[in-house]
Amino acid sequence: MRTKAKILLSTVVTLSLAACGGSGADAGSVESASSNSSAQAGEVRTISAEDKKKGSQAHPQLLQEFGGAYTGPQSAYVVRIGQDIAVQSGLGDARSDFTVTLLNSPVNNAFAIPGGYVYLTRQLMALMNDEAEMAGVLGHEVGHVAARHGQKRQKAAKRNSILGALGQIGAAILLGDSALGKLGQEVFGTGSQLLTLKYSRKQEYEADDLGIKYLASAGYDPQALSTMLASLAAQSAIDARVAGRDARSVPEWASTHPDPAQRVSRAARNASKLGVSGGKRNRDTFLNSLDGVMYGDDPKQGVIEGNSFLHPDLKFKFSVPNGFSMQNGTRAVTINGSAGKGQFTTGPYNGNMTTYIASAFKALSGQGQDIPYGDIQRTTVNGLPAAYATGRVTSGNGQVDVTIFAYEFSKSSAFHFATLAPAGRANIFSTMYQSTKRMTTREAAAIKPRKIDVVTVGSRDTIDSIAKRMAYADYQKDRFVVLNRLRSNDQLRAGDKVKIVVY
């Protein structure tokens, strides 16, 4: 959550490997450049004026949803490589046809939208180990646009757009054009929602093949996409363990993509079929550029530490139940779990909690039927005046409880949870509601940003010795090994460069 004069209710949008990280991204709401071209034929096409206009309209919204543009020195490097690889697609006839942006986001993510707009998050850049891997990921995203996958997903979205936003709570919810459907749109996204729909396995494979093709034509090692996919699979497993989830459960980015192991091996085989021997990787150039990039959450937007969310600027914190994960956005924190979903956000507050809660329910119902809710209950949570109410909504296949739990932080500011749970199970979030509290000045001051530090291996250094320098209290070795695409029993060589995360 970014701190501004006021933080308005919005949605957290996650994309993925299509975005390499979340749920697929080439903007189903923006049509591709050519209606008749075959992406596999590699025809040279131009970006239409209409696509450029639509892309320019979507661009500011995407920047807002993903933390804005990252302003570090890495930005110019990403722009150059992104434009170089995008040109290989034939979608534009000049590097200047493409607008490439490095995003200030802690999510492993990349995506592209028609109109020549290509995006990479600083977090995903940090997971890469050379320039070729970065070019491969960006090429994969451009491949989705070249293959017109967004237009195909847009058609699917019209049939099932709300399910794409809400996900499934249990097995009993089939949303339709109901109050719950409106709630799903308002809480989990409308404007950018079409960007997060799933690609089919065929579409992912097509984008992989195109990304590999672009790598080869640009002179890179075409195996780079395969090695990057392997790193992503390993990072997702670590993220699951840190969050207390079963590492075998499918993380969001993987759920929208083919089996990770199969995909890695397939990409490697197809790269070999090109008959290209080697190709540039530019590891040293990449690592020199990456050095110093911010890693993880930007404290100005709040940080996630294990099961807790802490915002040093606004000075509050809360914790989610075991088995739930969080994703931080510029205006809200999204909470996800198999037993329920929710957001922590804010809205205009004039000192009247009854009006505030009513407005929150009204926002969820959108232009549809109002969500009926019971009496507003007053309480105090860790010294904060609080109030809450729960409503029940009937969907096509069951009932869902909708809860607004709000806190007054001052006479002019309030925050609230908006949660969804199967009927009768709203108390799954009780511990979360009760965990919200103010942070002390000392606690807030202790939260520091992390960054990537590229270091040179010394003659006595080992994986174990360097991993101890990682700025984490847990999984230090696991994080270090994944970050550097190593195996736990590898031997480091003096003079080599590796990445560590430091404060």
Side-chain angles (χ1 to χ4, degrees):
M1 297 179 69
R2 177 174 293 174
T3 333
K4 290 186 177 180
K6 287 189 177 180
I7 304 176
L8 303 178
L9 176 64
S10 182
T11 179
V12 177
V13 179
T14 58
L15 305 174
S16 81
L17 180 75
C20 293
S23 41
D26 97 66
S29 58
V30 185
E31 294 184 1
S32 296
S34 171
S35 59
N36 298 311
S37 299
S38 167
Q40 296 298 335
E43 293 183 18
V44 175
R45 289 154 286 178
T46 58
I47 300 173
S48 70
E50 181 182 5
D51 282 338
K52 289 182 179 180
K53 180 179 178 181
K54 290 179 179 179
S56 67
Q57 291 172 343
H59 181 63
Q61 181 182 7
L62 290 169
L63 290 180
Q64 185 179 61
E65 296 292 349
F66 285 89
Y70 187 67
T71 57
Q74 296 79 13
S75 180
Y77 177 55
V78 172
V79 170
R80 177 169 62 83
I81 301 305
Q83 290 177 333
D84 286 347
I85 200 68
V87 166
Q88 307 303 316
S89 69
L91 285 171
D93 48 20
R95 295 176 76 255
S96 59
D97 285 337
F98 298 93
T99 300
V100 181
T101 305
L102 180 63
L103 296 169
N104 183 27
S105 171
V107 178
N108 286 316
N109 213 337
F111 54 97
I113 62 174
Y117 291 83
V118 186
Y119 305 86
L120 173 70
T121 65
R122 57 173 170 78
Q123 192 75 1
L124 186 55
M125 183 185 182
L127 184 59
M128 298 167 178
N129 280 279
D130 54 52
E131 185 178 291
E133 290 187 341
M134 181 167 71
V137 167
L138 294 173
H140 171 102
E141 299 310 327
V142 174
H144 277 300
V145 181
R148 303 179 70 246
H149 293 157
Q151 186 181 58
K152 297 171 184 176
R153 288 192 308 140
Q154 184 179 16
K155 294 178 180 178
K158 292 178 180 178
R159 296 191 298 269
N160 203 17
S161 61
I162 308 306
L163 266 178
L166 261 182
Q168 192 171 357
I169 300 177
I173 297 177
L174 290 178
L175 300 177
D177 187 18
S178 64
L180 183 59
K182 297 295 183 182
L183 180 150
Q185 289 179 322
E186 291 298 323
V187 176
F188 297 98
T190 50
S192 304
Q193 173 188 320
L194 295 180
L195 300 176
T196 69
L197 300 179
K198 295 181 180 181
Y199 289 120
S200 69
R201 175 174 299 192
K202 179 182 178 181
Q203 289 172 336
E204 288 303 333
Y205 284 156
E206 286 178 353
D208 283 350
D209 292 344
L210 287 169
I212 292 168
K213 174 185 173 184
Y214 301 157
L215 280 172
S217 63
Y220 289 107
D221 181 353
Q223 294 287 348
L225 184 59
S226 174
T227 57
M228 186 62 220
L229 287 169
S231 291
L232 276 165
Q235 184 63 52
S236 294
I238 288 294
D239 290 343
R241 291 168 60 191
V242 171
R245 302 190 304 274
D246 184 350
R248 295 170 297 177
S249 65
V250 182
E252 187 175 4
W253 76 266
S255 72
T256 67
H257 299 78
D259 174 72
Q262 179 182 349
R263 193 173 174 202
V264 169
S265 60
R266 180 186 180 279
R269 287 196 307 271
N270 286 355
S272 298
K273 291 177 183 177
L274 293 178
V276 177
S277 179
K280 60 185 178 183
R281 301 288 298 223
N282 291 353
R283 175 176 167 83
D284 286 345
T285 300
F286 177 82
L287 291 179
N288 288 338
S289 178
L290 180 68
D291 193 29
V293 74
M294 184 182 292
Y295 188 84
D297 292 308
D298 183 343
K300 294 180 180 178
Q301 299 179 14
V303 302
I304 296 172
E305 295 284 0
N307 283 359
S308 296
F309 178 79
L310 307 94
H311 203 301
D313 284 3
L314 298 177
K315 292 187 177 178
F316 68 74
K317 60 182 178 180
F318 65 83
S319 300
V320 299
N322 290 334
F324 283 80
S325 63
M326 288 177 283
Q327 182 168 313
N328 188 20
T330 56
R331 304 184 195 179
V333 182
T334 296
I335 299 109
N336 286 293
S338 59
K341 298 179 182 291
Q343 266 196 345
F344 186 81
T345 186
T346 188
Y349 183 58
N350 63 2
N352 187 318
M353 191 62 79
T354 298
T355 302
Y356 182 85
I357 289 179
S359 296
F361 273 111
K362 185 68 175 179
L364 297 184
S365 62
Q367 302 301 315
Q369 179 183 353
D370 288 345
I371 299 174
Y373 56 92
D375 293 338
I376 296 177
Q377 307 295 316
R378 305 277 179 168
T379 187
T380 300
V381 177
N382 299 313
L384 292 169
Y388 62 94
T390 297
R392 183 161 293 181
V393 178
T394 301
S395 68
N397 233 16
Q399 293 183 317
V400 175
D401 283 344
V402 184
T403 299
I404 301 295
F405 202 108
Y407 312 83
E408 181 183 87
F409 276 74
S410 72
K411 294 302 180 182
S412 60
S413 67
F415 292 85
H416 68 275
F417 289 103
T419 62
L420 305 176
R425 298 191 60 191
N427 62 356
I428 188 70
F429 291 111
S430 293
T431 58
M432 181 177 73
Y433 300 146
Q434 296 302 315
S435 70
T436 304
K437 63 179 64 176
R438 295 184 189 274
M439 295 178 64
T440 65
T441 300
R442 183 175 181 179
E443 287 175 324
I447 297 175
K448 301 176 181 178
R450 294 182 173 97
K451 68 174 184 178
I452 291 291
D453 187 20
V454 177
V455 300
T456 301
V457 177
S459 59
R460 297 184 179 182
D461 284 329
T462 64
I463 285 179
D464 288 330
S465 68
I466 295 184
K468 291 178 181 178
R469 297 160 62 182
M470 294 281 285
Y472 291 95
D474 58 3
Y475 299 103
Q476 288 177 307
K477 183 175 180 179
D478 302 77
R479 296 178 196 266
F480 174 76
V481 167
V482 170
L483 188 65
N484 291 278
R485 193 162 32 87
L486 296 169
R487 292 168 297 185
S488 59
N489 61 348
D490 280 347
Q491 300 295 314
L492 299 181
R493 296 183 304 175
D496 283 351
K497 293 181 179 179
V498 293
K499 300 174 288 181
I500 59 174
V501 179
V502 299
Y503 288 112

